[in-house]
Amino acid sequence: MKPREIAYKILQEVLSKEAYANISFNKHLRSQELKEIDRGFTKELVFGVIERKYTLDFILSFFVKKAPDLKTMIFLEMGLYQLLYMDKVPSYAAINETVNIAKKVLGIKRANFINAVLRNYEREKEKVIFPDKERDLKQYLKVTYSYPDWIVERLLNNYDEEKAEALLKSLNERPEICYRVNTLKIDIEDLKRLLDSDAIVYKKGYYLEEALYIDIKNPERHQLYKEGLIYIQDEASMLVSKTLNPKEGDTVLDVCAAPGGKTTHIAQLMKNSGEVIAFDLHPHRLELIKENCKRLGITNVKTEVFDSTFVNEKYLEKVDKVLADVPCTGIGIIRKKPDIKLKNYTRKEISELIEAQYKILDSSSKYVKKGGFLVYSTCTIGKEENQNVIMKFLKEHPDFKLVDIKAEMPSGLSIETDSLGYVQTTPLEHEIDGFFISKLKRIK
C-alpha cells in the first residue's frame, strides 16, 4: 500500500471515529513494510494535516462553495498540505498522486472534483485573504496557527496578545524525542558510552541528568527500548516525579497512573524500594503499566482498578506522598499530540472536566498522612485547570498548604513562582512540554 493511501486510512479513523492519531498510525504502520523514507512521509502527512487542519479548511473554503463529504475533504486536505508545507514534493506529484489514490478509494467523479479544486488553488492562490490581525485577532490566530476557538480563547485569557501568539506558534513546533535513562538497569554514563560505541547521536537534557535526546528511528523497535534501558518521557513530565520527591521506603499513591510514565519514574527514584500504588479507571490501561514495569525491571508497583473521583477507604491517611496527575485538556502537549486540536470542548464540557479535576484532588487529599505531601499536576496551560483548582482546594482544606518547591527544581530551570509552591512550564519559555506542577503539604 502506498504512503498516501495509508495516510488517508489513518486520517479517516482519526477524523470519523475519533481514534488517537499515534495509536492509529502505529497500528497501520505495523501491518506495512515501508521504507524509512516512506514511513517518514506518511507520518509527516498524517500529523501535518491534523496540525494544520483549521488553516487548510479556511483556504479550501475559497475554492469549494459547499463543504464536501468527510472522505473527499480528507483528500483535499492531504493534497493542499503537500502543496503548502511539503517543499520536497513537486506540485504535480502532490496533486496527481493524491488524485490517483482518491480515484481508487472514492471513484472517478469525486477524484475529478478533488483534482479541479487543487488545480484551481495552484492557479488562483491570490484569492485567499487571511484574517486581519487588527480587526479580528481571534480569527487571525485561529487560521494562522490552526487552532480551535477554545484554545485561542484560553491563551488570550491567560496571557497578553503577544505572548499568546508566541505560545500558539511554539506549540506547533516539532519536538525532539526525550528519553528517561532507566537507572535501575544502567548508569547514565554507561548508557552514553553505549550510544557512543554504536555511533548514535544524542544530547543531554535541558534540565535533568536522566533525560537524553537520542536520535533513534522507530524507538519502540530499538534494542535499548526493548531491554528497558530507556523510556520515552518529556522532561516536563519527569519534573512531576522530581517535585513529588519520593524517598526509598516511602508508600506512594499515583491516582491517575496509566500509561505509567510517572509511576515508573517514581519507582525508579525510590530504587525499587517501598511501594507505589497505581490507580486507573480502565483495566486495559493498567496492563500498560504492568508491561512497562516488566520491561523496566520494576518490582515495587501494585496496580488497582479504581475511579479516583471517589475515595478508596483502604488508603485513608496511610500514604506518604500522593500524585494527582489529573485528566485535562492537554494544551501543553499539543506538539506531540496535535489531534488535541480536533477536540471542540464546549464551556460546559470544560466546566465538567474542572469539576472532575477538583474531585480527584479532594479525594487524593484523604490518603495523605499528617506531614505528607500531595502533588497536583496537569499537562495543560492556563489558570482555569491549574491555579484556580488549587486555590479552591486550599479554601476548603485548611489542613493543607502550598510549599516552596525551589529545592526540587533543577538548577537550570528558574520559574519565579516555584517559591510559592507551583510552576507552569511551556515550550516557548523552557523548550519542554507545558505542565503545571504544584506541591501541597498536610499540616494537621
Side-chain angles (χ1 to χ4, degrees):
M1 197 178 292
K2 294 183 177 181
R4 288 177 179 84
E5 188 172 355
I6 298 170
Y8 165 75
K9 287 180 178 295
I10 297 168
L11 285 167
Q12 188 187 12
E13 280 191 1
V14 172
L15 296 171
S16 67
K17 301 176 184 177
E18 297 185 1
Y20 290 110
N22 58 339
I23 294 174
S24 181
F25 176 83
N26 290 332
K27 181 186 76 174
H28 282 275
L29 268 290
R30 270 196 299 270
S31 63
Q32 302 292 325
E33 289 296 326
L34 287 182
K35 296 177 183 176
E36 197 57 49
I37 190 169
D38 290 335
R39 183 184 177 91
F41 180 93
T42 306
K43 186 172 185 178
E44 166 68 17
L45 188 52
V46 168
F47 287 92
V49 166
I50 293 169
E51 181 184 281
R52 293 288 176 178
K53 180 173 172 57
Y54 293 95
T55 306
L56 296 170
D57 290 356
F58 176 82
I59 293 170
L60 287 168
S61 70
F62 287 84
F63 301 93
V64 179
K65 290 181 181 178
K66 183 181 177 183
D69 62 275
L70 177 63
K71 294 178 180 179
T72 302
M73 197 67 178
I74 290 172
F75 276 108
L76 287 171
E77 291 164 345
M78 285 171 53
L80 185 57
Y81 182 84
Q82 293 168 73
L83 293 172
L84 279 170
Y85 300 108
M86 299 182 78
D87 297 336
K88 293 181 181 178
V89 180
S91 297
Y92 70 86
I95 296 174
N96 291 345
E97 292 299 320
T98 301
V99 170
N100 286 338
I101 300 295
K103 197 176 295 181
K104 176 182 173 182
V105 176
L106 303 180
I108 293 175
K109 185 176 180 181
R110 283 193 280 181
N112 286 342
F113 172 76
I114 292 162
N115 182 58
V117 172
L118 293 175
R119 293 192 185 281
N120 282 345
Y121 166 76
E122 276 290 273
R123 287 194 299 267
E124 302 179 55
K125 296 175 186 175
E126 68 280 354
K127 278 178 63 175
V128 181
I129 302 170
F130 281 86
D132 183 82
K133 184 176 180 178
E134 303 304 321
R135 292 181 182 176
D136 192 341
L137 177 64
K138 279 171 54 175
Q139 186 68 1
Y140 163 81
L141 293 173
K142 175 179 179 175
V143 172
T144 303
Y145 300 103
S146 193
Y147 284 90
D149 291 327
W150 69 270
I151 293 180
V152 173
E153 289 170 3
R154 167 71 65 86
L155 294 185
L156 286 173
N157 194 39
N158 282 273
Y159 303 98
D160 61 39
E161 293 176 8
E162 184 179 351
K163 188 168 181 180
E165 181 173 3
L167 272 168
L168 291 170
K169 184 178 179 181
S170 72
L171 288 165
N172 277 340
E173 293 169 0
R174 302 290 170 86
E176 298 170 282
I177 299 178
C178 183
Y179 298 85
R180 187 184 86 231
V181 181
N182 179 18
T183 53
L184 295 175
K185 284 195 170 186
I186 190 168
D187 181 78
I188 295 167
E189 293 305 315
D190 286 342
L191 180 65
K192 289 178 182 177
R193 281 189 283 272
L194 196 57
L195 294 170
D196 288 334
S197 67
D198 289 342
I200 298 173
V201 177
Y202 68 92
K203 68 177 187 179
K204 295 191 301 182
Y206 293 105
Y207 308 106
L208 299 175
E209 188 182 14
E210 64 262 50
L212 292 178
Y213 294 84
I214 310 172
D215 186 15
I216 298 175
K217 305 297 182 187
N218 304 328
E220 292 181 3
R221 297 182 183 180
H222 199 279
Q223 201 60 30
L224 293 175
Y225 183 89
K226 289 179 178 179
E227 291 178 6
L229 304 183
I230 55 175
Y231 184 93
I232 301 171
Q233 187 176 18
D234 191 82
E235 285 189 73
S237 177
M238 293 186 219
L239 279 174
V240 176
S241 305
K242 288 284 196 177
T243 303
L244 186 65
N245 196 20
K247 302 296 184 183
E248 292 180 49
D250 275 349
T251 299
V252 178
L253 177 54
D254 185 351
V255 301
C256 302
K262 299 173 191 70
T263 307
T264 55
H265 191 203
I266 289 166
Q268 179 177 320
L269 293 170
M270 292 165 63
K271 299 182 181 177
N272 242 348
S273 69
E275 184 176 45
V276 183
I277 304 147
F279 287 170
D280 201 84
L281 182 59
H282 305 288
H284 72 278
R285 286 173 61 79
L286 286 176
E287 288 302 314
L288 292 174
I289 297 178
K290 292 176 184 177
E291 289 168 15
N292 281 320
C293 286
K294 184 177 179 181
R295 184 173 56 82
L296 297 168
I298 289 168
T299 57
N300 66 336
V301 170
K302 180 179 81 172
T303 62
E304 190 168 331
V305 177
F306 190 73
D307 180 351
S308 288
T309 58
F310 296 95
V311 177
N312 192 320
E313 302 288 336
K314 282 194 299 185
Y315 300 103
L316 289 175
E317 299 188 36
K318 291 182 179 178
V319 180
D320 298 298
K321 285 157 189 172
V322 177
L323 171 59
D325 182 57
V326 300
C328 66
T329 52
I331 296 171
I333 56 171
I334 281 175
R335 298 186 305 165
K336 296 185 177 76
K337 296 182 177 180
D339 40 332
I340 288 167
K341 291 183 177 186
L342 303 177
K343 296 180 180 179
N344 282 302
Y345 284 105
T346 63
R347 290 185 180 180
K348 182 184 177 187
E349 287 170 335
I350 290 177
S351 178
E352 289 170 349
L353 177 61
I354 292 169
E355 185 179 341
Q357 291 166 343
Y358 184 81
K359 282 182 180 178
I360 293 171
L361 179 58
D362 178 53
S363 297
S364 300
S365 70
K366 307 292 193 295
Y367 309 127
V368 184
K369 295 176 181 177
K370 185 178 178 181
F373 295 92
L374 169 61
V375 164
Y376 173 87
S377 64
T378 73
C379 57
T380 197
I381 297 172
K383 60 182 181 291
E384 294 85 348
E385 297 174 69
N386 297 320
Q387 292 95 319
N388 290 359
V389 175
I390 290 295
M391 291 306 118
K392 179 183 176 184
F393 176 83
L394 289 172
K395 279 184 182 178
E396 298 183 9
H397 296 78
D399 51 335
F400 279 84
K401 70 171 184 177
L402 282 166
V403 292
D404 188 337
I405 55 173
K406 189 180 285 290
E408 277 96 24
M409 292 294 108
S411 58
L413 184 63
S414 179
I415 301 177
E416 60 183 14
T417 58
D418 56 10
S419 61
L420 301 177
Y422 65 91
V423 294
Q424 172 78 68
T425 63
T426 70
L428 173 65
E429 297 163 293
H430 312 110
E431 300 187 82
I432 57 178
D433 283 343
F435 266 70
F436 176 83
I437 310 166
S438 59
K439 189 169 186 177
L440 300 139
K441 182 177 182 179
R442 185 182 167 195
I443 54 177
K444 58 183 178 180

